[in-house]
Amino acid sequence: MPVIILRTFLTAFIIMAITIFLVSPVILGDEEEKSEMVGETSVITDLTTVLQDSIYAEINAGFARLEHIFERGCYDCHTTRTKYPWYHKIPGIKHLINSDIKEGLEHLDMSDGFPFQGKPGIPYQSEKLDEIKEVLKEGEMPIFMYRMIHWGASPSDEEKDSIYIWVDESLKALEKLH
């Protein structure tokens, strides 16, 4: 019986000594050890940034594949690369067009691809992807007045399906970052 107590005491003592040895740099202020720990944290942060950049690059590659659709029906109001029609020079119409563009950019700015311009962060990007899918399904975009003048602006059902797939895949990829 005394041997078991002695072994238990020695085991507890060894575990406590190892714990103190490992934790002492933090408690006692060993600057070199602390900087290594900070370095480990920055490595984790760097890996997270690399993962995010990789996922954003993947999403942006999908965006680039669909860019011809977005260019035809979205870019005039949702980028800074608007192609103004000849009638933009007419005073009342110019104001209406500029107002639509300003509002469009406030809702979604696709000027630099993905990630979209606006607030930084995954929730904002996810929200914008959801909105793209929703407004297409509801037939809200491109707006009616734009479609009346630009007959080929609306995406076909096949093009919409491609956008829906891209949005769904993008949202799944963004979930990996949570």
Side-chain angles (χ1 to χ4, degrees):
M1 185 83 152
V3 174
I4 293 174
I5 294 172
L6 185 60
R7 271 192 217 158
T8 306
F9 176 77
L10 285 173
T11 304
F13 180 77
I14 291 170
I15 291 172
M16 191 169 46
I18 291 171
T19 304
I20 290 171
F21 177 75
L22 292 174
V23 175
S24 67
V26 176
I27 295 171
L28 299 175
D30 185 339
E31 294 304 317
E32 183 178 319
E33 193 69 31
K34 281 183 181 178
S35 70
E36 284 180 25
M37 293 175 140
V38 170
E40 288 174 12
T41 304
S42 67
V43 167
I44 291 169
T45 304
D46 291 345
L47 289 175
T48 303
T49 302
V50 167
L51 177 62
Q52 178 176 319
D53 290 348
S54 172
I55 288 173
Y56 277 13
E58 179 184 327
I59 294 170
N60 198 40
F63 179 85
R65 286 191 298 275
L66 301 170
E67 191 167 24
H68 66 282
I69 301 168
F70 295 127
E71 187 174 5
R72 191 178 69 235
C74 308
Y75 273 22
D76 280 346
C77 293
H78 294 285
T79 70
T80 54
R81 299 186 297 258
T82 304
K83 295 177 185 167
Y84 292 100
W86 63 268
Y87 49 86
H88 179 259
K89 296 176 183 174
I90 300 172
I93 295 174
K94 179 179 184 169
H95 175 72
L96 288 172
I97 292 173
N98 289 344
S99 175
D100 284 345
I101 293 169
K102 181 180 178 196
E103 184 178 347
L105 285 169
E106 287 173 4
H107 284 283
L108 176 65
D109 187 346
M110 303 170 121
S111 296
D112 296 324
F114 190 89
F116 302 122
Q117 299 289 325
K119 298 176 193 169
I122 296 160
Y124 177 81
Q125 300 302 325
S126 296
E127 177 185 313
K128 293 304 167 188
L129 288 166
D130 280 333
E131 285 178 17
I132 289 171
K133 187 173 179 180
E134 183 181 326
V135 297
L136 280 176
K137 279 190 173 188
E138 298 296 321
E140 296 172 6
M141 288 288 147
I143 60 174
F144 179 73
M145 289 300 292
Y146 189 83
R147 288 186 307 226
M148 292 300 296
I149 298 167
H150 302 89
W151 294 352
S154 294
S156 67
D157 289 340
E158 194 174 275
E159 290 171 329
K160 285 181 185 179
D161 288 340
S162 296
I163 294 170
Y164 300 153
I165 290 168
W166 169 72
V167 167
D168 292 340
E169 289 174 352
S170 299
L171 289 170
K172 284 179 188 171
L174 289 174
E175 285 177 10
K176 295 175 190 175
L177 297 173
H178 285 260

